[in-house]
Amino acid sequence: MKSKFHPDKNGYFGQFGGAFIPELLHPNVKELADNYVQIIESEEFQTEYKSLLKEYVGRPTPLYLAQRLSDKHGAHIYLKREDLCHTGAHKINNTVGQILIAKKLGKTKIIAETGAGQHGVATATVCALMGLECTVFMGEKDIVRQAPNVTRMKMLGAKVIPATSGSKTLKDATNEAIRYWIQHPETFYLIGSVVGPAPHPDMVARLQAIISEEMKWQLKEKTGKENPDTIIACVGGGSNAAGAFYHYLDDEDVELIAVEAAGLGVHSGESAATSQLGQVGIIHGSKTILMQDKYGQIVEPYSISAGLDYPGVGPLHAFLYETGRAKFMSATDQEALDAAFELTKIEGIIPALETAHALAVLDKITFRKDQVVVINLSGRGDKDLEIYTKYLEA
Ligand SMILES: *Cc1c(COP(=O)(O)O)cnc(C)c1O
């Protein structure tokens, strides 16, 4: 079925997307663009991908009715438990799929960027599983604030290269990865979100779509209907949201809410609320909405959560924003911290700081009593314990 939310043949969602890359990368990107749909739709890929998702990742992840959270907010709130995936977040759905595609294309060397380290760990994991060489670029600041994930990547055999430019976070790690890719075009760039040059945004969305594929039958089982009223997900680059929204994009009666990180406040100058602050521009090979000054220089983003600390959103999300198909909200550092502690206290689930932003908007919405809400619980909070410890002591 053709959806207006699927990209055209050049990788555009409306005016957003495309592949703005140097000449040297054209053969590789074209090879991927020419083959990824056929590979993903092949029976051989589907069999291997679905088997790994089940036996290795631990899918399907539960769709859990959070009763006490529901009582508090006066709605039926379900949590899609991506935090229970192997390696602790949704990122592995994508890396398992891309590593199979890389192998199919005969690639042996994998590179990746990472913010919170979750994508780096998920990439290093599948490289260990398949015996492929793995190099991960990570901002120097993130290497410090997400130290346990650095150890994990090294144990898994990956080389971790610090990005020392700019704000030393995700954007800078991505710049370094792209620079390396240009110098080594034979490597496979295993991008961690629905960002980058086409076909990456669409490829990653298709690989994360398993989230909403499962939601459909799980909701049918639990509520009698495949469709919820509302889906809420946090947005860094946008992959967990893309996965949770994917099979509902054309069902306009399902409200989609994307939550960005407001940092110290949307207008504080220390934020990553891209849709509210951004304009159309080009970042990391794709035309999208990004935070920039009047000279087109990228504004350094800020968020307490490394996974949301990114000045752009993927082109699909820029299109969802522009068309109004998704509603964009934001949560500050403080609101996210409060929400993380609340979920832990009343449901016994410690969420990732990124995920906590999605939870934080519950307080900003008035629900109907019978409203069915799904929150995509993108990851678990182990990696954020140092920040949670500080909050506990404050
Ligand atoms: C990486 C990450 C995010 C943000 O990335 P998206 O591509 O927007 O999903 C959100 N939550 C968790 C737990 C993450 O690891």
Side-chain angles (χ1 to χ4, degrees), residues 300-332:
E300 298 294 346
Y302 164 79
S303 166
I304 192 172
S305 79
L308 303 184
D309 201 346
Y310 186 70
V313 286
L316 167 62
H317 293 282
F319 188 57
L320 293 175
Y321 176 75
E322 192 187 63
T323 56
R325 175 63 189 96
K327 181 171 168 186
F328 280 68
M329 298 179 73
S330 65
T332 63

Side-chain angles (χ1 to χ4, degrees), residues 180-203:
Y180 183 93
W181 191 26
I182 293 166
Q183 288 159 0
H184 305 84
E186 77 288 357
T187 52
F188 186 89
Y189 184 10
L190 207 161
I191 296 183
S193 190
V194 286
V195 300
H200 271 95
D202 183 50
M203 178 171 66

Side-chain angles (χ1 to χ4, degrees), residues 18 86 116 129 154 280 327 341 359:
H86 180 42
L129 180 68
K154 289 182 176 166
V280 177
K327 181 171 168 186
F341 275 76
L359 294 160

Side-chain angles (χ1 to χ4, degrees), residues 262-319:
L264 302 182
V266 172
H267 299 291
S268 66
E270 298 287 335
S271 138
T274 306
S275 65
Q276 286 181 69
L277 299 171
Q279 283 111 37
V280 177
I282 290 166
I283 183 169
H284 299 142
S286 138
K287 186 173 170 194
T288 186
I289 296 173
L290 61 128
M291 289 162 48
Q292 52 192 314
D293 65 19
K294 62 177 187 230
Y295 305 106
Q297 291 288 333
I298 290 167
V299 171
E300 298 294 346
Y302 164 79
S303 166
I304 192 172
S305 79
L308 303 184
D309 201 346
Y310 186 70
V313 286
L316 167 62
H317 293 282
F319 188 57

Side-chain angles (χ1 to χ4, degrees), residues 26-144:
H26 273 271
N28 263 279
V29 171
K30 184 169 186 307
E31 182 189 29
L32 187 62
D34 288 347
N35 290 292
Y36 80 105
V37 173
Q38 200 195 332
I39 294 175
I40 290 178
E41 289 178 352
S42 73
E43 206 182 307
E44 185 191 343
F45 175 90
Q46 282 298 325
T47 305
E48 212 176 344
Y49 175 59
K50 290 282 166 69
S51 156
L52 280 171
L53 288 183
K54 178 163 182 266
E55 308 292 341
Y56 189 70
V57 173
R59 304 202 72 91
T61 58
L63 183 72
Y64 167 68
L65 175 61
Q67 194 57 60
R68 296 186 68 202
L69 193 68
S70 297
D71 292 345
K72 176 166 184 240
H73 293 282
H76 301 285
I77 302 176
Y78 289 86
L79 304 176
K80 182 61 173 153
R81 298 289 309 274
E82 295 302 297
D83 60 317
L84 295 177
C85 289
H86 180 42
T87 70
H90 67 289
K91 296 267 164 48
I92 191 110
N93 303 326
N94 168 45
T95 61
V96 161
Q98 278 198 60
I99 206 82
L100 293 177
I101 294 171
K103 274 181 51 178
K104 192 86 200 149
L105 295 174
K107 310 288 176 181
T108 55
K109 292 187 177 145
I110 306 295
I111 59 167
E113 83 298 333
T114 197
Q118 291 301 102
H119 175 58
V121 168
T123 304
T125 298
V126 295
C127 286
L129 180 68
M130 300 292 175
L132 300 182
E133 195 180 308
C134 180
T135 304
V136 179
F137 297 86
M138 186 171 190
E140 215 169 30
K141 180 174 165 189
D142 293 335
I143 287 180
V144 175

Side-chain angles (χ1 to χ4, degrees), residues 88-91 116 118 192-194 234-241 307-308 352 354-355 378-380 383:
H90 67 289
K91 296 267 164 48
Q118 291 301 102
S193 190
V194 286
C234 66
V235 173
S239 69
N240 87 85
L308 303 184
E354 289 80 10
T355 316
S378 57
R380 66 178 184 229
K383 68 183 178 57

Side-chain angles (χ1 to χ4, degrees), residues 162-183:
T164 56
S165 61
S167 53
K168 305 178 176 55
T169 59
L170 180 54
K171 156 182 75 66
D172 314 289
T174 310
N175 286 340
E176 286 304 317
I178 291 176
R179 201 166 300 148
Y180 183 93
W181 191 26
I182 293 166
Q183 288 159 0

